[in-house]
Amino acid sequence: MLKQWHWDDRMNLMSASARQRSMPLAVRRTLFGAANMRTQLAQNWLSLSDTMRKLGHYDSARVALRSAELHNREMDIESIESLLVECRILKDSGHIHEALMLIEPVQHNIAVIRQSYRDHRKYNKLLPSIISTTERLESFVERLLLATQLMVESKTKQGQAIIERYKCVIDMRPKSPRSYFELARYYEYLYHAAKVKEVEDHLNTNTNSNNMSSNMSVGGHSSRSIATSRSVRDTNDEYEFKSHQYVGNAVNCYLKAVYYSSPEDYTQQKYITQGLPRLLTLLLSFNQQRESDLGAAAHRICTRCTSSKSTSSSSG
């Protein structure tokens, strides 16, 4: 009945102001209490807590959260949503490490869990107890996604470890725009970090080249200076190649986030309105680079692509 009345959609269309939402939420709590609908009553308190959190009223958000937990305990229900709301309040109030310890006190072996899920889908093998049922799977995915976001913000983990966690979420939710969007944002972060590293290595290369020129002008150069110059150049090529991979992966994930988003779903509209501008910005900034701005790794990629095209055209 509530879905037919579109109560959630109506609430999402309202202003985020606490003054605007407090009265409708209070009226609904009264109706839920009179009808003895405790599940909906607890969910109403969680909605109020989330609204207060977004407005920066963290004390009010915690009071509403405790009221929701009280109703859940009366029904002997352990709500994962309460845990997620608690962690979001801690995160927004600046206690990221506390939120991370609460949501994931013991880090999971993501590689094992991911492989077990793949084997279950492919060979119908048994799942680990942590994802053995649909409810546990959904709970694990929500906690894993939030914990990964906290790790990124707190810089507890970086690089491939974060990517593997996001890919595990995508394996379990292959059509979730949120999963692709978060992974795309992280690829974009790695792309900009790699570009900064490229600039630093380029400056180091120029410095070493100038030093070698000075040494040669005064009577020769040592094998150590040549080895150092080659080492810096190889490192520069490595980071340049990574940045090209990161921007490609980010664009691909943004495309999937937009593709799997539903414009009719209010909660998914942001993946379209935020994903498309980020996607276009990455493409335009990357395509505006002149050939002289690209380093050795990019030239090798372009040369291979050109040679492969010419080979295919001549064979045809």
Side-chain angles (χ1 to χ4, degrees):
M1 183 178 63
L2 296 179
K3 291 183 178 180
Q4 293 178 355
W5 290 350
H6 300 285
W7 276 22
D8 292 337
D9 296 335
R10 292 169 183 266
M11 183 62 66
N12 290 331
L13 292 174
M14 292 185 62
S15 170
S17 170
R19 179 177 300 179
Q20 296 289 333
R21 292 197 174 194
S22 59
M23 184 58 68
L25 288 173
V27 171
R28 292 183 182 186
R29 285 196 299 274
T30 303
L31 295 175
F32 291 148
N36 198 25
M37 301 171 67
R38 294 186 177 182
T39 302
Q40 289 75 13
L41 185 58
Q43 189 63 39
N44 186 283
W45 280 113
L46 288 176
S47 299
L48 179 61
S49 177
D50 195 55
T51 299
M52 292 300 176
R53 174 185 63 84
K54 293 177 180 178
L55 295 173
H57 302 160
Y58 302 120
D59 291 336
S60 300
R62 289 188 179 93
V63 171
L65 176 61
R66 299 297 173 258
S67 299
E69 292 175 343
L70 177 62
H71 289 287
N72 284 330
R73 281 196 296 269
E74 290 177 355
M75 296 181 294
D76 195 21
I77 295 177
E78 183 180 355
S79 175
I80 180 62
E81 186 66 24
S82 299
L83 176 63
L84 296 175
V85 171
E86 176 75 29
C87 292
R88 293 187 184 111
I89 294 174
L90 289 171
K91 168 180 170 291
D92 291 351
S93 58
H95 301 87
I96 297 180
H97 291 283
E98 294 181 20
L100 183 56
M101 289 299 298
L102 181 63
I103 194 70
E104 193 173 307
V106 178
Q107 293 186 12
H108 304 293
N109 192 333
I110 301 301
V112 173
I113 295 176
R114 187 182 179 193
Q115 187 61 45
S116 298
Y117 184 78
R118 287 181 168 182
D119 291 341
H120 171 73
R121 295 293 301 271
K122 192 173 182 179
Y123 305 110
N124 201 24
K125 291 186 177 181
L126 292 177
L127 288 170
S129 60
I130 194 172
I131 55 174
S132 57
T133 64
T134 303
E135 292 77 11
R136 290 183 177 182
L137 178 65
E138 289 298 318
S139 173
F140 173 78
V141 169
E142 287 291 338
R143 287 185 283 110
L144 179 62
L145 188 56
L146 181 55
T148 306
Q149 293 172 343
L150 293 172
M151 288 179 178
V152 172
E153 293 195 23
S154 62
K155 296 183 179 180
T156 306
K157 286 184 178 293
Q158 289 291 342
Q160 194 62 32
I162 296 295
I163 294 175
E164 288 299 320
R165 292 173 71 93
Y166 278 129
K167 286 184 177 181
C168 181
V169 174
I170 290 176
D171 285 346
M172 298 177 181
R173 283 184 178 176
K175 295 184 179 181
S176 170
R178 180 186 174 194
S179 306
Y180 288 108
F181 184 79
E182 294 298 334
L183 179 56
R185 287 182 58 190
Y186 188 67
Y187 273 131
E188 185 178 356
Y189 163 77
L190 293 178
Y191 166 67
H192 292 301
K195 293 298 294 182
V196 171
K197 183 66 176 177
E198 288 174 25
V199 173
E200 294 176 355
D201 290 340
H202 182 67
L203 294 176
N204 292 333
T205 303
N206 291 337
T207 302
N208 290 331
S209 299
N210 294 333
N211 293 335
M212 286 184 59
S213 300
S214 300
N215 293 334
M216 293 177 65
S217 63
V218 297
H221 55 277
S222 63
S223 59
R224 177 180 297 181
S225 62
I226 296 177
T228 303
S229 177
R230 289 177 178 174
S231 175
V232 172
R233 185 171 64 250
D234 293 341
T235 304
N236 189 20
D237 289 351
E238 176 188 354
Y239 275 96
E240 181 189 2
F241 182 69
K242 284 183 178 180
S243 70
H244 286 74
Q245 285 185 321
Y246 292 147
V247 70
N249 292 334
V251 168
N252 182 46
C253 289
Y254 277 132
L255 283 172
K256 291 184 178 180
V258 173
Y259 178 78
Y260 288 119
S261 298
S262 174
E264 293 79 12
D265 190 342
Y266 177 83
T267 61
Q268 296 183 4
Q269 291 179 1
K270 64 179 181 180
Y271 303 124
I272 300 176
T273 57
Q274 296 181 23
L276 281 177
R278 287 175 175 269
L279 166 68
L280 295 175
T281 301
L282 278 176
L283 285 175
L284 291 175
S285 63
F286 185 74
N287 290 334
Q288 282 177 354
Q289 297 182 93
R290 298 171 301 175
E291 185 178 357
S292 58
D293 296 330
L294 302 177
H299 283 299
R300 288 195 295 269
I301 294 174
C302 295
T303 303
R304 283 198 298 268
C305 293
T306 305
S307 61
S308 62
K309 288 182 180 179
S310 59
T311 304
S312 61
S313 60
S314 60
S315 62

